[in-house]
Amino acid sequence: MSMSHLYGRRDEEEEGVEVESFEVTEWDLANEFNPDRRRHRQTKEQATYGIWADRDSDDDERPSFGGKRSKDYSAPVNFVSAGLRKTAAEEKQQQKGEGGSDDSDDDAPAKKIGGNFRGNQSQRFAGGIQSGQGIGSWEKHTKGIGQKLLQKMGYQPGKGLGKNAQGIVNPIEAKVRKGKGAVGAYGNERTQQSLQDFPVVDSDEEEEKEFQKELGQWRKDPTGSAGKKKPKYSYRTADELKAKGKVAGQSTAASAGELAQVKVIDMTGREQKVYYSYSQMSNKHSVPDEGPPSMSTRDQKGSGFALPELEHNLQLLIDLTEQDILQSARRLQHEKDVVVSLSHESRALQTRLDSEQDAIQRMEAVLALVERFPSGETAPGEGPTLQECARIFETLQTDYYEEYKTIGLADLAVAVIHPLLKEKLCSWDPLKDSSSCLEDIGQWRAILESRDLHSSGPDSNMDPYHRLLWEVWIPVMRTCVSGWQPRMVGPMVDCVEVWAPLLPLWILDHMLEQLILPRLQREVDNWNPLTDTVPIHSWVHPWLPLLQTRLEPLYPPIRSKLSNALQRWHPSDTSARLILQPWKDVFTPGAWEAFMVKNIIPKLALCLEELVINPHQQQMEPFHWVMDWEGMLSPSSLVSLLDKNFFTKWLQVLCSWLSNSPNYEEITKWYLGWKSMFSDVLLAQPLIKEKFNEALDIMNRAVSSGMGGYMQPGARENIAYLTQTERRKDFQYEAMQERRDAESVAHRGISAGVPTNFKDLIQTKAEENNIVFMPLVAKRHEGKQLYTFGRIIIYIDRGVVFVQGEKTWVPTSLQSLIDMAK
């Protein structure tokens, strides 16, 4: 079956292009205005094949795919005459011209029938009105507004339109567009009549000429010239073929080897075509083909030179050649890519080779430096010195740092430096010259010590510098400490202080704990406070900045030996105070207080009990012996001692003196003299203040009651003045003390805040004196919360502190509470 049955065709002589007809034709119009016309009966072949059946020659058939040619819009448009009638000669000439315009003998009857049909239709549409007759008769059905308007513009009935009543000279010509594109898609569409009536220079004429020139490569001249056109050939070079093959290869997902073996049959054109790759099919319109031959050319080919097998073979050879060219181009490109890849790999290998060569040269230089170190075969005294070895290590670290770290050249110090340092330190005495070799060790610390390793003991991962000290320096110090006398403390302390900045922390701790402290413990065990003339604190206390809390194991033996030495001591011997005074700040407050209560306070109490208070001949030495211990004893202990052993006898003597006609002036001096024996710290104690106030009250009662008989004039006034003066001093001292407390609180910082109640004040005082103050859980007394203040149990009621006694709760002052807690 011919492919021309699938598509409608236009006049092949004029256009030579097969198009599909969808416009409204004369058949459609006749069918609409004459619905009762005889319809064509469908044949059996049409019922079987449908639109692919052979076309019938009946002109009344509905145009379909392969039907009648489309309407010729290039013919002049027929209008109804407006009053001018053509002569018979003109009509005959027009019909002759229309008959001569038909190109094909087969289509002549159809055109004649179509022309007659159009003429009949024109007469039918015009209502049977002849040219120039009955024009405007349709206005009998209207009000005649059209006729009136025409007459106003100069129209005369029975004549034609126009200035000279000439009517239409030439009908408006229409130009058929060559395809289905938009307006202007096929160049200039102006007709010859338009160019004559409107002679305007068109800027698109040149584009039209170029378009027609390009169009002529694949179709006939659109002017319809019947002359034979010479075929044009298009040539492609191998480079163009390679370039188009690359573009086709980029748009295809499959590989070229697979696509080259695919056979494609193209049935979308007028003829069946066979392609041997998808890229060939996609490029079928990339090169313009020769225009369709005319009817005469096809006839000549069909009759003279029709060799489709030869054309097919030639085309096949061309396609295979193209495929070979493309395959060769692809292989060439692949080889070029391989060359580029190999060149990159070659450069990378060359770079690596250069770096390896440089590394080899650096390793050779490092080896040359390392070979300069002394070895086992080197004779003594021939190898490099410590300074030269240090310079070699510095060169390795600065110039060959990467190799120094990678290979671990720092470990060479164990084999190279240790023998040299041991040889130098073998004759060193740390107690005589502690700073010897200090610069050498400091130099090797800067070279060997690693900032990354933090050794904490002698293990395999020890830093090279730490290993140097552990294996070279520590043995020398161990030998020195083993022969050292702990009572010659100065040289050893100086040696440790000088070397401490260069020693790692764990080595320093090892030396203090394992070497020096055991020597001190053995010496303390051998110490006898009764026979040794050198005080123990003179050779123990210098180690406090270095050993600190490590010395605490020495304190219990020292206190025990001092306690044994004080069993036969009398307060008149001041050497005990000189021996014990340096230990007051060394022992803990609790241990010191317990030591004083056990060994000193009983001796002082016996001394006060033996004291005889005689206003006329007073022996003050025992009292001075006791008061010399004021700085050694806590205020609370000393106050308790004076309360029990001094003030009782002192008040009894005062009462006895007042009852025997005393001289109040002497009593006043006696009172002031005893009070001057007490320091301000003791006088600030509430109990001491209370005892002296009690003495004033006794004197006031004696004066006011006249006890003792005769009384000197002015004695009462003197006693009253003395009482008032003492009370004023006490008030001023309390005010000054409160001001000092407020200033100390403000000095610690305002952020701490001022206590708002008595409990907060107790809390502040406890924090100042490092005393634990906290409530007892679920413990109350008469509804009041119980608290622990150190080891004392208290409760607070209306601003008064009550302390738990043996049988009852006793109110006390805040200062007394602090003293008891300490």
Side-chain angles (χ1 to χ4, degrees):
M1 183 185 296
S2 175
M3 294 299 293
S4 61
H5 291 183
L6 297 177
Y7 299 92
R9 70 171 71 178
R10 289 233 184 139
D11 190 348
E12 295 182 357
E13 229 176 62
E14 293 179 358
E15 299 295 331
V17 179
E18 297 176 0
V19 296
E20 185 176 350
S21 176
F22 290 99
E23 61 270 25
V24 179
T25 62
E26 298 293 336
W27 186 91
D28 297 310
L29 296 176
N31 188 47
E32 292 296 327
F33 287 97
N34 189 11
D36 297 329
R37 63 187 288 273
R38 183 178 63 86
R39 297 184 179 275
H40 174 69
R41 182 177 180 84
Q42 191 178 31
T43 63
K44 182 178 180 181
E45 186 177 6
Q46 291 176 344
T48 303
Y49 297 103
I51 60 174
W52 286 280
D54 293 334
R55 182 172 58 88
D56 195 3
S57 61
D58 191 357
D59 293 334
D60 294 335
E61 182 183 356
R62 169 70 170 91
S64 176
F65 294 100
K68 294 172 61 179
R69 64 179 180 273
S70 60
K71 187 176 181 180
D72 185 10
Y73 289 97
S74 61
V77 181
N78 293 329
F79 289 90
V80 177
S81 176
L84 295 179
R85 182 181 180 85
K86 293 183 179 181
T87 61
E90 291 179 353
E91 293 180 357
K92 185 176 181 180
Q93 185 179 1
Q94 181 180 358
Q95 293 177 359
K96 183 178 180 181
E98 290 178 356
S101 62
D102 294 335
D103 297 328
S104 177
D105 297 335
D106 297 337
D107 296 335
K111 273 196 169 289
K112 188 179 296 183
I113 296 173
N116 295 336
F117 181 79
R118 284 196 293 271
N120 296 334
Q121 290 296 104
S122 300
Q123 292 179 5
R124 183 186 297 177
F125 295 155
I129 300 174
Q130 300 297 327
S131 298
Q133 296 181 3
I135 184 171
S137 61
W138 48 273
E139 286 195 341
K140 64 182 179 180
H141 303 291
T142 65
K143 296 181 179 180
I145 184 65
Q147 187 71 15
K148 293 177 182 179
L149 291 175
L150 290 173
Q151 289 178 359
K152 287 181 180 181
M153 290 185 290
Y155 171 71
Q156 295 180 4
K159 296 183 179 180
L161 296 175
K163 182 177 181 180
N164 299 321
Q166 75 276 10
I168 297 177
V169 179
N170 294 321
I172 299 175
E173 295 181 359
K175 186 174 181 179
V176 180
R177 196 172 299 139
K178 299 176 179 60
K180 296 181 180 180
V183 176
Y186 301 96
N188 188 9
E189 297 183 1
R190 297 183 63 181
T191 61
Q192 189 68 23
Q193 179 185 1
S194 174
L195 294 174
Q196 292 176 359
D197 295 341
F198 303 97
V200 180
V201 178
D202 195 347
S203 60
D204 295 337
E205 291 182 357
E206 296 180 358
E207 295 182 3
E208 176 67 19
K209 290 180 180 179
E210 294 178 0
F211 174 75
Q212 294 296 339
K213 182 178 180 181
E214 295 176 358
L215 194 65
Q217 296 182 6
W218 65 280
R219 60 183 297 180
K220 293 189 65 175
D221 190 358
T223 56
S225 59
K228 180 180 179 182
K229 189 172 182 67
K230 183 179 181 180
K232 294 184 178 180
Y233 298 95
S234 177
Y235 301 96
R236 284 186 295 177
T237 62
D239 295 336
E240 294 177 353
L241 182 61
K242 293 176 184 177
K244 294 185 179 298
K246 290 181 181 179
V247 175
Q250 293 176 359
S251 61
T252 306
S255 62
E258 295 176 355
L259 296 180
Q261 304 300 328
V262 177
K263 182 178 181 180
V264 182
I265 301 176
D266 183 12
M267 300 181 66
T268 59
R270 295 190 303 270
E271 296 179 358
Q272 174 179 327
K273 294 183 178 181
V274 179
Y275 301 100
Y276 292 93
S277 66
Y278 287 113
S279 60
Q280 182 181 1
M281 179 180 177
S282 61
N283 296 331
K284 65 179 182 178
H285 296 304
S286 59
V287 180
D289 296 331
E290 183 184 353
S294 61
M295 179 63 70
S296 59
T297 305
R298 286 200 302 269
D299 294 340
Q300 292 175 3
K301 275 190 175 184
S303 58
F305 192 78
L307 297 174
E309 293 81 1
L310 180 58
E311 293 178 356
H312 172 75
N313 294 335
L314 292 175
Q315 186 64 36
L316 182 60
L317 290 175
I318 292 173
D319 294 341
L320 292 176
T321 305
E322 291 179 355
Q323 291 300 322
D324 293 339
I325 294 173
L326 292 177
Q327 291 290 345
S328 301
R330 292 191 187 98
R331 284 194 298 271
L332 179 60
Q333 185 62 36
H334 173 71
E335 296 298 333
K336 290 181 179 179
D337 295 340
V338 171
V339 170
V340 172
S341 176
L342 292 177
S343 62
H344 284 295
E345 185 176 356
S346 175
R347 285 194 295 270
L349 291 176
Q350 185 63 36
T351 304
R352 183 175 179 181
L353 182 61
D354 295 341
S355 62
E356 294 292 342
Q357 188 67 28
D358 183 57
I360 292 173
Q361 294 177 358
R362 293 174 64 88
M363 288 299 298
E364 291 177 351
V366 170
L367 182 60
L369 291 174
V370 170
E371 288 177 350
R372 293 172 56 185
F373 288 129
S375 60
E377 301 176 356
T378 304
E382 294 182 0
T385 62
L386 278 174
Q387 297 296 329
E388 294 177 355
C389 292
R391 285 193 291 270
I392 293 174
F393 269 97
E394 290 176 354
T395 304
L396 291 173
Q397 286 184 343
T398 54
D399 298 342
Y400 307 98
Y401 181 78
E402 185 176 354
E403 290 79 4
Y404 182 84
K405 287 296 183 182
T406 304
I407 305 174
L409 294 177
D411 297 335
L412 283 175
V414 177
V416 176
I417 308 302
H418 288 195
L420 298 177
L421 278 178
K422 284 181 180 180
E423 183 181 355
K424 189 170 185 178
L425 293 177
C426 65
S427 60
W428 173 53
D429 188 359
L431 298 180
K432 294 181 180 180
D433 187 6
S434 59
S435 61
S436 178
C437 301
L438 189 67
E439 295 182 358
D440 297 334
I441 299 297
Q443 182 181 15
W444 285 106
R445 180 189 182 185
I447 296 173
L448 297 179
E449 188 175 21
S450 175
R451 304 298 187 270
D452 301 332
L453 296 177
H454 301 281
S455 302
S456 59
D459 51 14
S460 59
N461 295 327
M462 196 185 306
D463 187 83
Y465 174 70
H466 296 184
R467 183 177 295 276
L468 174 68
L469 293 175
W470 179 256
E471 297 181 359
V472 176
W473 188 82
I474 284 293
V476 178
M477 292 301 300
R478 186 178 291 111
T479 303
C480 178
V481 172
S482 63
W484 165 63
Q485 293 296 328
R487 300 193 183 192
M488 300 178 61
V489 65
M492 184 59 68
V493 171
D494 294 340
C495 179
V496 174
E497 289 179 348
V498 167
W499 283 90
L502 298 181
L503 300 179
L505 183 60
W506 69 273
I507 291 182
L508 180 62
D509 293 341
H510 172 80
M511 190 183 73
L512 294 176
E513 295 175 1
Q514 304 298 328
L515 302 180
I516 294 177
L517 188 59
R519 291 288 299 154
L520 292 176
Q521 288 178 340
R522 287 195 296 270
E523 192 66 23
V524 168
D525 294 339
N526 297 329
W527 171 67
N528 187 355
L530 297 177
T531 58
D532 288 341
T533 58
V534 179
I536 189 172
H537 65 270
S538 63
W539 50 272
V540 172
H541 287 186
W543 291 106
L544 285 173
L546 295 172
L547 292 173
Q548 296 179 355
T549 58
R550 298 185 183 93
L551 288 174
E552 289 184 358
L554 303 179
Y555 299 155
I558 293 175
R559 286 195 296 267
S560 177
K561 290 178 178 292
L562 290 174
S563 179
N564 294 331
L566 291 172
Q567 288 181 358
R568 297 181 181 181
W569 169 76
H570 190 268
S572 60
D573 185 6
T574 59
S575 62
R577 183 169 59 86
L578 297 176
I579 293 174
L580 295 177
Q581 188 175 5
W583 294 98
K584 182 178 182 299
D585 297 331
V586 176
F587 295 158
T588 60
W592 176 257
E593 185 69 17
F595 183 82
M596 290 289 106
V597 170
K598 179 181 178 181
N599 300 288
I600 303 299
I601 292 179
K603 304 289 184 181
L604 298 179
L606 291 175
C607 185
L608 288 177
E609 288 178 358
E610 296 175 357
L611 175 65
V612 178
I613 300 176
N614 185 0
H616 302 289
Q617 189 177 0
Q618 182 66 50
Q619 297 292 330
M620 298 299 298
E621 286 81 3
F623 185 79
H624 290 312
W625 295 341
V626 174
M627 297 307 295
D628 287 341
W629 288 88
E630 180 181 353
M632 304 287 289
L633 302 176
S634 63
S636 60
S637 299
L638 186 57
V639 168
S640 177
L641 177 65
L642 294 172
D643 181 29
K644 293 179 181 179
N645 301 286
F646 172 74
F647 279 106
T648 303
K649 295 189 295 183
W650 186 76
L651 291 176
Q652 289 178 357
V653 171
L654 178 61
C655 292
S656 176
W657 192 6
L658 290 173
S659 63
N660 295 320
S661 301
N663 186 348
Y664 284 95
E665 186 175 353
E666 293 180 357
I667 291 177
T668 302
K669 292 181 180 179
W670 182 79
Y671 170 84
L672 294 176
W674 277 107
K675 190 174 183 180
S676 64
M677 296 294 179
F678 292 83
S679 63
D680 294 338
V681 177
L682 287 176
L683 291 175
Q685 298 296 323
L687 187 57
I688 302 296
K689 192 184 301 182
E690 182 182 351
K691 295 298 180 180
F692 281 107
N693 290 335
E694 185 178 353
L696 290 175
D697 293 339
I698 293 173
M699 288 188 289
N700 284 323
R701 286 197 302 269
V703 172
S704 61
S705 63
M707 181 178 63
Y710 177 75
M711 184 180 301
Q712 294 87 0
R716 182 176 300 173
E717 290 78 5
N718 291 336
I719 296 299
Y721 176 75
L722 176 63
T723 303
Q724 185 178 4
T725 303
E726 294 297 321
R727 299 284 170 81
R728 187 184 301 112
K729 287 181 180 179
D730 293 342
F731 179 76
Q732 290 177 354
Y733 182 80
E734 290 177 357
M736 183 177 63
Q737 190 66 25
E738 291 178 357
R739 191 181 303 110
R740 288 177 181 174
D741 294 342
E743 290 177 356
S744 64
V745 171
H747 182 69
R748 285 195 305 269
I750 302 176
S751 60
V754 180
T756 57
N757 51 37
F758 194 60
K759 178 185 174 183
D760 293 340
L761 179 61
I762 295 174
Q763 179 70 32
T764 304
K765 292 294 184 180
E767 292 176 356
E768 292 176 359
N769 294 276
N770 295 325
I771 298 174
V772 178
F773 174 67
M774 59 183 297
L776 293 174
V777 180
K779 297 291 183 178
R780 292 181 176 273
H781 176 73
E782 296 180 356
K784 305 296 188 300
Q785 176 67 48
L786 296 181
Y787 300 90
T788 58
F789 192 85
R791 287 180 284 184
I792 303 173
I793 299 176
I794 64 171
Y795 76 89
I796 305 170
D797 186 11
R798 290 175 291 184
V800 179
V801 180
F802 290 86
V803 181
Q804 186 179 19
E806 295 180 359
K807 295 182 180 180
T808 182
W809 293 85
V810 181
T812 185
S813 63
L814 183 57
Q815 186 62 40
S816 300
L817 178 65
I818 294 172
D819 294 338
M820 287 186 290
K822 287 184 176 180

